[in-house]
Amino acid sequence: MFMKQIVQWCLELGISCVSVYAFSIDNFRRPADEVDALMELAAAKFDELAHDEDAKRWGAELRVVGDLSRAPPAIQAAAARLMQGSKEQGPTRSVVNICFSYTSSQELQHAVQQVAAGVAQSQLLPDDVTPQLLQQVMHTRECPPCMVITLQNKSNFSVTVTPIGASIQKLLVPDCQNISRQVDVMLGYEEVAGYSLYPHPSFGATVGRVGNRISGAQFSLNGETFKLEANEGNNTLHGGAVRWSKVMWSASVSSDKLTATFMRTSNDGEAGFPGNVRVMVMYSMPEEGSHLNVTMQAMTDKATPLNIINHAYFNLKGAASDSSVLDYVVKIPSNFYTPTTPGQLLPTGQIFRVKDTPYDFTTGRKVGYKLQAADGGLQRGYDVNYVVPQSGASDQQPVWWRPGENPQVGSDAAKRPLSLAATVTEPSTGMRLKVLTNAPGLQLYTGNSLTGKPKDMALAGKGGLFYKQYGGLCLSAQAFPNAINTPTFPSIVVRPGDMYSNRVSYDFSCAA
């Protein structure tokens, strides 16, 4: 009764809802009595929730992929009860995902032990687990939602992406010293299971509905106030209660294996935000060349704020190199940034010039140039938003970033030429990265919160590393932080009929 023990264990950890994902039900490798026991246990939990005052808060669901009619009768009956219970319980919070096609009970037990150990060591508290949408996914090649998609072109350039968070798992770039070799420049996990665990710092993930920060964990729109989860002090960070970086997206891949597309619907009220939002994230590459295009698009049936970003952490020496980014030479052709209140990382609403500040990278400087002076020395690193210029360095604020107008909606946003937002060069290898975008802002983040401690990453990263501070560099194309509460900034409100667009290109080359 191994599966029953697993679910019972999870319930004892204080997780209030069990979400059973039965994949490829006609290919179950577990004995029928174990699967039936699991279903019965989850069904009993639904019955308990039906009489709980907080039932609508938790919810539950069962998803079955495959032909349910081939399953044993007892499983069919339990599944019917679960699906009916799901309809009655309100909003869904997927907490524990289990792939029944797992080939080794030892592997499955190890994955669940990661969660149990975190709670036992007070690294994860039961009260934290459920609101953070903990998803425990067991990874096998035979489990469709745990799959990865690999795109590769003729230039020995490839990317591996996963439906968990519509995330980039690997980004393999030709080595500048030997182009027949590849360097994985994307911080993250070797095993896909890591992307569903809490905590992890959104490695390579799609972040929404609103990436970055919202002050006071609330905003007003059309005369109504919407309250969100305060998950960074009094503020909301990266979407709050429902992290897009950890939910499962539907996935497809083009026949030429050069494009992967992920889609999901963020339902009205999810994490406190209004409107049903349909989102598409597309990763694509040309037949030749070393650049990855990321297209993020969305539509809504109610006015809602959107700032969908890709949260890639780059290490141009290699994700398993255990090296710092402080020697990288960064050139950001923006003369303007949005200053923050010291220690808060919330913009003041002003736009300042970078000249004579620690944020001046217009001529190209090492990341460590004035690192300790950023944010008055309170953050010990960069975490700052730049105003992306229209083309190259400009002494004027871009004309299209007007207060109160959203530059990321409409046909203009989808077709507008991309602007160069940053260039990064790793001096020892010569590898160079250019970031281009149609977004108004670029967040420079130097991995200040990476601690090198297991409790802050859930699982070890590539090469068995627990990434240390300054182990990766983020260059996130975005709207301005807290724009929904800052009338002097360009708007992030998307309305029915609008098409939201955030386009980013990661272009790699070798310095001459």
Side-chain angles (χ1 to χ4, degrees), residues 42-63:
K45 189 63 181 177
F46 280 120
D47 292 339
E48 177 184 330
L49 286 172
H51 302 287
D52 191 319
E53 292 183 359
D54 291 330
K56 291 184 178 180
R57 178 183 175 190
W58 303 121
E61 71 173 332
L62 168 73
R63 295 181 185 175

Side-chain angles (χ1 to χ4, degrees), residues 69-90:
S69 66
R70 297 185 184 181
I75 295 178
Q76 294 185 45
R81 287 196 298 277
L82 285 170
M83 286 187 282
Q84 180 63 35
S86 175
K87 294 176 183 177
E88 296 174 353
Q89 298 305 322

Side-chain angles (χ1 to χ4, degrees), residues 63-200:
R63 295 181 185 175
V64 178
V65 177
D67 187 356
L68 187 60
S69 66
R70 297 185 184 181
I75 295 178
Q76 294 185 45
R81 287 196 298 277
L82 285 170
M83 286 187 282
Q84 180 63 35
S86 175
K87 294 176 183 177
E88 296 174 353
Q89 298 305 322
T92 296
R93 283 192 179 276
S94 307
V95 179
V96 181
N97 297 339
I98 298 177
C99 296
F100 294 110
S101 59
Y102 226 76
T103 57
S104 166
S105 62
Q106 291 181 345
E107 291 173 340
L108 181 58
Q109 186 174 22
H110 174 73
V112 175
Q113 284 174 339
Q114 298 282 345
V115 184
V119 174
Q121 298 169 16
S122 298
Q123 296 172 358
L124 298 172
L125 300 177
D127 287 344
D128 294 332
V129 173
T130 299
Q132 293 298 338
L133 200 67
L134 171 65
Q135 293 178 302
Q136 177 63 61
V137 178
M138 320 313 167
H139 172 53
T140 71
R141 284 176 290 181
E142 299 170 10
C143 182
C146 303
M147 69 181 179
V148 295
I149 297 171
T150 297
L151 311 176
Q152 175 139 7
N153 68 11
K154 298 176 182 178
S155 300
N156 201 29
F157 179 73
S158 69
V159 61
T160 299
V161 289
T162 171
I164 305 173
S167 305
I168 305 172
Q169 184 193 16
K170 297 178 182 179
L171 185 54
L172 301 178
V173 182
D175 189 333
C176 287
Q177 309 300 316
N178 183 347
I179 61 172
S180 65
R181 294 197 305 249
Q182 292 177 309
V183 180
D184 183 0
V185 299
M186 185 67 52
L187 263 59
Y189 298 105
E190 290 287 357
E191 295 297 325
V192 176
Y195 291 85
S196 66
L197 290 170
Y198 179 82
H200 93 70

Side-chain angles (χ1 to χ4, degrees), residues 400-402 405-409 412-413 416 438-440 490-491 501:
W400 61 47
W401 310 147
R402 298 183 179 92
E405 295 183 18
N406 190 339
Q408 293 183 273
V409 300
D412 175 59
R416 184 188 306 131
N438 69 337
S491 173
S501 169

Side-chain angles (χ1 to χ4, degrees), residues 201-437:
S202 302
F203 289 130
T206 299
V207 174
R209 286 189 187 188
V210 177
N212 219 302
R213 294 165 177 85
I214 296 178
S215 64
Q218 65 178 26
F219 63 91
S220 295
L221 184 59
N222 294 339
E224 185 176 355
T225 298
F226 296 90
K227 296 185 180 299
L228 313 172
E229 180 192 53
N231 61 344
E232 188 190 56
N234 296 322
N235 308 315
T236 296
L237 177 66
H238 293 334
V242 179
R243 293 291 188 103
W244 286 12
S245 59
K246 296 180 179 64
V247 301
M248 197 73 70
W249 297 58
S250 65
S252 62
V253 61
S254 62
S255 58
D256 61 8
K257 300 296 179 67
L258 294 176
T259 301
T261 302
F262 299 102
M263 301 185 73
R264 76 176 300 261
T265 296
S266 175
N267 294 323
D268 187 19
E270 181 181 87
F273 291 95
N276 296 294
V277 177
R278 297 180 62 188
V279 190
M280 181 192 75
V281 176
M282 184 168 64
Y283 295 102
S284 63
M285 63 177 64
E287 289 187 2
E288 297 184 36
S290 297
H291 57 270
L292 176 67
N293 300 312
V294 186
T295 301
M296 294 161 275
Q297 294 183 334
M299 297 185 71
T300 180
D301 60 4
K302 291 182 182 178
T304 192
L306 287 180
N307 181 27
I308 306 171
I309 66 175
N310 177 259
H311 206 280
Y313 286 74
F314 294 99
N315 188 306
L316 301 185
K317 282 187 177 180
S321 67
D322 197 21
S323 62
S324 166
V325 301
L326 296 185
D327 285 337
Y328 292 9
V329 177
V330 173
K331 184 176 182 179
I332 298 177
S334 173
N335 284 296
F336 301 94
Y337 76 106
T338 55
T340 59
T341 303
Q344 295 296 313
L345 296 176
L346 285 169
T348 62
Q350 300 166 295
I351 296 178
F352 282 2
R353 291 183 177 274
V354 299
K355 187 177 181 180
D356 299 325
T357 75
Y359 309 106
D360 188 354
F361 287 92
T362 54
T363 59
R365 289 192 170 104
K366 289 186 177 181
V367 172
Y369 160 58
K370 288 188 177 179
L371 182 87
Q372 300 298 332
D375 195 40
L378 296 176
Q379 299 300 325
R380 295 189 300 169
Y382 289 105
D383 197 350
V384 59
N385 174 65
Y386 288 87
V387 180
V388 176
Q390 284 176 270
S391 58
S394 172
D395 196 46
Q396 302 296 320
Q397 293 183 28
V399 296
W400 61 47
W401 310 147
R402 298 183 179 92
E405 295 183 18
N406 190 339
Q408 293 183 273
V409 300
S411 59
D412 175 59
K415 298 176 182 178
R416 184 188 306 131
L418 303 184
S419 297
L420 178 62
T423 302
V424 182
T425 304
E426 201 291 299
S428 67
T429 64
M431 186 173 289
R432 176 169 289 167
L433 165 64
K434 290 184 178 180
V435 179
L436 300 96
T437 184

